[in-house]
Amino acid sequence: MKKTLSRRARLATGGAVLAAVAAGTFGTVAANASAPEAAQDSAVSAAPAAAAGKRDTTTSTHLTVDAATEAARAALKAAEKEGQRVTVAVVDRNGNTILTMRGDGAGPQSYESAERKAYTAVSWNAPTSELEGRLENAPNLKDIPGTLFLGGGVPVTAGKAPIAGIGVAGAPSGTLDEKLARAGAAALN
């Protein structure tokens, strides 16, 4: 004869089994999680920190956010005087964007173009209008990711080394974009 449990007894039994399984699982996880931590602590304290010598490191100069903002505002102000709606981007020595300012009414394509012009200028430490000519002898340069070989990007240097790039996009010509980028760079002197 088979004995059936009441609904209340089945729930109580199921809950107890579930609690036992959970306690065993979580206890195992907690024990395993703490074991590597203890081993790691002893490994870390056993290994001394390595110190790099002067010949193993370099120091670089970077444009501050305040300076980048000043340059971008100067370029936007110059654009306003010319009646142009542009975007200005400033990147650091490594090509990372410090800031981008999209002027009122600037086209949607100008945002990425300004960043790419700034990146290109700092990468080659040359105005992008100058770099356009290099495409005749090396057309594959345009295939380098993140670059744009159109006038409108200028490098910012310190001691002849590039520390930033300013890119402007949105004016009807690269020549005018570059004139505005130069106005931004001039604000830094």
Side-chain angles (χ1 to χ4, degrees):
M1 184 160 122
K2 187 175 177 183
K3 186 175 180 181
T4 58
L5 297 175
S6 69
R7 180 181 161 121
R8 181 180 288 176
R10 283 186 303 209
L11 285 174
T13 304
V17 169
L18 203 59
V21 169
T25 301
F26 290 129
T28 303
V29 169
N32 287 338
S34 64
E37 187 177 296
Q40 186 178 20
D41 285 344
S42 64
V44 170
S45 62
K54 278 194 168 203
R55 67 185 176 105
D56 299 326
T57 63
T58 62
T59 302
S60 61
T61 303
H62 294 272
L63 200 62
T64 66
V65 172
D66 289 342
T69 303
E70 182 180 339
R73 285 189 175 144
L76 284 175
K77 189 173 184 176
E80 189 177 314
K81 286 180 183 176
E82 296 276 348
Q84 300 301 315
R85 297 174 177 170
V86 300
T87 297
V88 181
V90 182
V91 301
D92 68 12
R93 172 62 187 109
N94 300 319
N96 299 311
T97 302
I98 299 172
L99 67 85
T100 304
M101 290 184 164
R102 185 173 173 266
D104 294 335
Q109 79 289 352
S110 65
Y111 192 92
E112 182 178 350
S113 296
E115 287 183 334
R116 290 174 61 192
K117 288 178 183 183
Y119 175 80
T120 305
V122 76
S123 295
W124 275 273
N125 193 21
T128 52
S129 61
E130 197 178 290
L131 296 170
E132 281 182 278
R134 295 184 190 179
L135 290 177
E136 292 175 17
N137 296 328
N140 291 347
L141 281 178
K142 70 179 180 339
D143 297 332
I144 297 172
T147 59
L148 186 59
F149 292 87
L150 296 174
V154 297
V156 175
T157 60
K160 297 184 182 181
I163 61 165
I166 300 173
V168 175
S173 72
T175 303
L176 186 50
D177 280 339
E178 194 161 308
K179 177 183 177 184
L180 302 174
R182 287 185 188 279
L188 298 173
N189 295 327

